[in-house]
């Protein structure tokens, strides 16, 4: 695939370079002439030295071997977005960024990415339609190439569940009962009241608490907005949303079944709480299975879909990662060729990394990749089924980040203060949503 010659590509690359001559972050300096052999600098949001960085290094090496285009991978994790802003300010943006789908709106608003002609991406017609939706901006244009998808599920301590004599939860009441039993019945048998039910990354940083809560919000029958693009209205103050927030607060303040310290926890602090035996129920992504298998033990926990909520629906936040073609690159054609490699069957298979913790493709976006043939671990099929049947991406607005941040702050205020009034807090949040919708023209 990578050996193709497309006569229009060079023309398109030149046009893209000229069109991006004045984008934000690149200033108005003269742009370098398009060079289809220029090296590509690739930033990935992965911990430096991690197995996932090694997988990205392997992908880059295969790409270079196939095309002759040098590609250098830089792994960054903490404060990734801040470092990207700094690079933009210094007019040193990388050529490619592989990062969360949720960052699309912000990157578009700041002019850091260029739009993509979906029909020009070789192999793009082999990607699932849902994955392309995650690469579209509020204006309907495509601003990235989808690379990986994922959904979320409950990680439950199986040994604890069997110890307290309860079955897998079929509804939220049973889920709460399990969390309470983990908190009160000494499931680890050490004679101490030192275990809890829920592990929750409840920090406001990067909007973590909203990121966690969104699946529960949708499963309760609530939503963030009503209406359609261009005439959205906040729905976050609805009775269903208030009920969902009240349910969340009850786990912190009434049942006290949430691991202490959750209100300031990010995922980096939350993961160890599950694998070290502090909490027994963690709603998280498939990327943690290899880690938990190693540090906790595969036989100690099970992966279960979040049961339908009071709204009678199953729901899971659908996320993933996109390949962002950054503005001002000297090699627009190379950017596209790299993206095409990542979405090819070969690129997706390498990115899946079998059953190891080096996976950077959680669920393949290329419909020609058979998940069950690449991975032997059947737990991946749970996430695949959830993604296909209950997955929902974040609402399509010009920039989702301000909404997620405001929502996380309101939810954090509700659960951190047991005297809080969820209805009043969500009413204030709805006012913030209204102002932001007007600001964004959504």
């Amino acid at each position: 695939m990578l050996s193709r010659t497309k006569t229009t590509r060079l023309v398109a690359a030149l046009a893209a370079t000229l069109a991006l001559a004045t984008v934000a972050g690149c200033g108005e300096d003269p742009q370098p002439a398009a060079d289809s052999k220029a090296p590509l600098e690739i930033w990935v949001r992965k911990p430096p030295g991690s197995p996932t960085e090694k997988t990205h290094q392997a992908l880059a090496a295969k790409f270079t071997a196939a095309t002759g285009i040098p590609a250098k991978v830089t792994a960054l994790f903490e404060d990734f977005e801040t470092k990207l802003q700094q690079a933009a300010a210094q007019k040193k943006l990388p050529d490619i960024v592989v990062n969360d789908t949720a960052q699309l709106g912000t990157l578009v608003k700041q002019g850091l990415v260029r739009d993509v002609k979906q029909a020009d991406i070789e192999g793009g017609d082999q990607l699932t339609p849902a994955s392309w939706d995650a690469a579209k901006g509020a204006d309907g244009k495509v601003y990235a190439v989808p690379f990986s998808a994922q959904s979320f599920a409950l990680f439950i301590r199986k040994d604890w569940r069997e110890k307290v004599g309860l079955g897998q939860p079929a509804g939220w009441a049973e889920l709460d009962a399990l969390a309470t039993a983990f908190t009160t019945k000494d499931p680890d048998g050490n004679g101490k009241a030192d275990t809890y039910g829920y592990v929750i990354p409840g920090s406001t940083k990067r909007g973590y608490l909203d990121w966690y809560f969104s699946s529960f919000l949708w499963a309760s029958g609530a939503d963030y907005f009503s209406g359609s693009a261009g005439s959205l209205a906040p729905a976050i103050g609805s009775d269903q949303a208030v009920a969902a927030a009240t349910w969340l607060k009850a786990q912190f303040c009434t049942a006290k079944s949430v691991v202490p310290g959750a209100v300031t926890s990010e995922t980096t602090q939350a993961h160890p709480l599950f694998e070290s035996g502090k909490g027994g129920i963690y709603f998280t992504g498939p990327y943690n299975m290899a880690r938990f298998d190693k540090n906790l033990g595969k036989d100690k926990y099970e992966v279960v879909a979040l049961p339908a909520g009071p709204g009678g629906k199953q729901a899971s936040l659908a996320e993933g990662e996109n390949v962002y073609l950054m503005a001002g690159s000297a090699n627009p054609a190379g950017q596209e060729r790299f993206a095409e490699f990542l979405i090819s069957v070969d690129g997706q298979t390498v990115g899946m990394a079998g059953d190891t913790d080096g996976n950077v493709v959680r669920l393949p976006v290329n419909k020609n990749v058979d998940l069950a043939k690449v991975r032997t671990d059947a737990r991946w099929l749970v996430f695949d089924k959830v993604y296909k049947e209950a997955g929902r991406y974040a609402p399509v607005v010009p920039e989702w980040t301000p909404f997620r941040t405001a929502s996380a702050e309101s939810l954090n205020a509700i659960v951190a203060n047991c005297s809080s009034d969820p209805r009043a807090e969500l009413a204030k949040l709805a006012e913030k949503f209204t102002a932001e919708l007007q600001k964004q023209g959504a």
Side-chain angles (χ1 to χ4, degrees):
M1 183 187 81
L2 292 167
S3 61
R4 69 174 179 151
T5 56
K6 184 185 289 185
T7 56
T8 58
R9 186 184 291 281
L10 181 58
V11 175
L14 288 167
T17 300
L18 292 170
L20 294 167
T22 59
V23 295
C26 297
E28 297 182 356
D29 292 346
Q31 294 297 296
D35 178 359
S36 62
K37 292 297 182 182
L40 296 178
E41 183 176 0
I42 300 156
W43 282 19
V44 297
R45 185 174 177 272
K46 302 297 177 194
S50 65
T52 50
E53 181 196 0
K54 293 177 181 175
T55 300
H56 272 296
Q57 297 284 6
L59 283 165
K62 278 184 168 286
F63 168 75
T64 298
T67 65
I69 300 174
K72 175 188 175 185
V73 172
T74 298
L76 302 164
F77 192 73
E78 295 295 336
D79 300 318
F80 183 91
E81 286 77 22
T82 300
K83 291 170 183 172
L84 191 62
Q85 295 299 315
Q86 292 170 343
Q90 297 169 3
K91 301 171 184 173
K92 294 181 178 178
L93 280 173
D95 301 279
I96 296 284
V97 165
V98 181
N99 197 8
D100 296 345
T101 56
Q103 294 298 316
L104 185 140
T106 300
L107 293 170
V108 172
K109 179 185 177 183
Q110 295 173 339
L112 301 186
V113 294
R114 67 180 179 93
D115 64 329
V116 174
K117 305 301 181 188
Q118 184 174 338
D120 289 349
I121 299 300
E122 191 162 309
D125 59 342
Q126 300 304 305
L127 306 190
T128 62
S131 68
W132 275 115
D133 288 343
K136 289 179 181 175
D139 59 3
K141 292 183 179 179
V142 176
Y143 288 98
V145 178
F147 171 55
S148 171
Q150 67 185 40
S151 61
F152 297 84
L154 295 167
F155 288 54
I156 296 175
R157 282 293 297 262
K158 180 173 181 286
D159 55 339
W160 289 12
R161 181 179 60 75
E162 292 173 346
K163 178 79 177 295
V164 300
L166 295 176
Q168 291 184 346
W172 285 22
E174 292 183 10
L175 182 61
D176 291 345
L178 189 62
T180 297
F182 285 175
T183 306
T184 61
K185 295 188 176 180
D186 190 25
D188 64 356
N190 69 353
K192 300 178 181 178
D194 59 354
T195 58
Y196 297 86
Y198 294 106
V199 174
I200 298 177
S203 169
T204 61
K205 187 174 181 180
R206 299 188 90 235
Y208 270 122
L209 185 52
D210 175 76
W211 171 79
Y212 172 87
F213 180 67
S214 56
S215 302
F216 295 88
L217 178 77
W218 289 321
S220 73
D223 212 332
Y224 291 95
F225 308 117
S226 61
S228 55
S231 59
L232 293 173
I236 197 65
S238 69
D239 290 344
Q240 295 96 326
V242 171
T246 301
W247 168 81
L248 181 67
K249 177 186 174 185
Q251 311 315 313
F252 282 83
C253 297
T254 305
K256 299 186 185 303
S257 57
V258 180
V259 174
V263 294
T264 58
S265 291
E266 303 167 26
T267 52
T268 49
Q269 288 88 45
H271 298 342
L273 296 174
F274 182 74
E275 61 194 6
S276 67
K278 289 295 184 185
I281 302 172
Y282 191 17
F283 187 68
T284 188
Y287 43 82
N288 278 319
M289 288 194 298
R291 169 180 174 152
F292 293 161
D293 287 355
K294 178 181 179 181
N295 297 333
L296 176 61
K298 186 176 182 180
D299 60 326
K300 297 285 182 54
Y301 72 97
E302 57 199 351
V303 176
V304 179
L306 177 67
K313 300 178 181 177
Q314 274 191 303
S316 169
L317 177 65
E319 282 192 330
E321 291 191 328
N322 285 333
V323 182
Y324 295 102
L325 314 188
M326 305 306 287
S329 171
N331 190 355
Q335 288 178 304
E336 293 187 6
R337 295 187 71 182
F338 185 74
E340 290 168 351
F341 173 70
L342 291 191
I343 66 173
S344 67
V345 171
D346 189 21
Q348 292 274 284
T349 302
V350 172
M352 290 170 73
D355 293 317
T356 74
D357 57 357
N359 65 80
V360 295
V361 172
R362 279 71 185 260
L363 300 176
V365 295
N366 189 319
K367 57 190 178 186
N368 295 322
V369 178
D370 187 339
L371 177 67
K373 289 185 178 178
V374 180
R375 292 180 175 136
T376 60
D377 189 338
R379 295 174 299 178
W380 281 98
L381 300 179
V382 175
F383 293 97
D384 190 49
K385 186 173 188 290
V386 168
Y387 175 75
K388 290 175 178 173
E389 297 182 357
R392 290 186 61 171
Y393 283 99
V396 178
V397 290
E399 188 179 13
W400 173 239
T401 300
F403 295 101
R404 185 164 70 178
T405 300
S407 179
E409 291 172 349
S410 294
L411 292 167
N412 186 273
I414 289 170
V415 301
N417 176 12
C418 291
S419 299
S420 64
D421 180 348
R423 184 174 294 279
E425 291 293 340
L426 292 188
K428 289 189 287 187
L429 178 61
E431 292 177 0
K432 293 179 181 177
F433 275 16
T434 297
E436 188 64 32
L437 287 169
Q438 292 174 348
K439 180 181 176 182
Q440 296 191 17

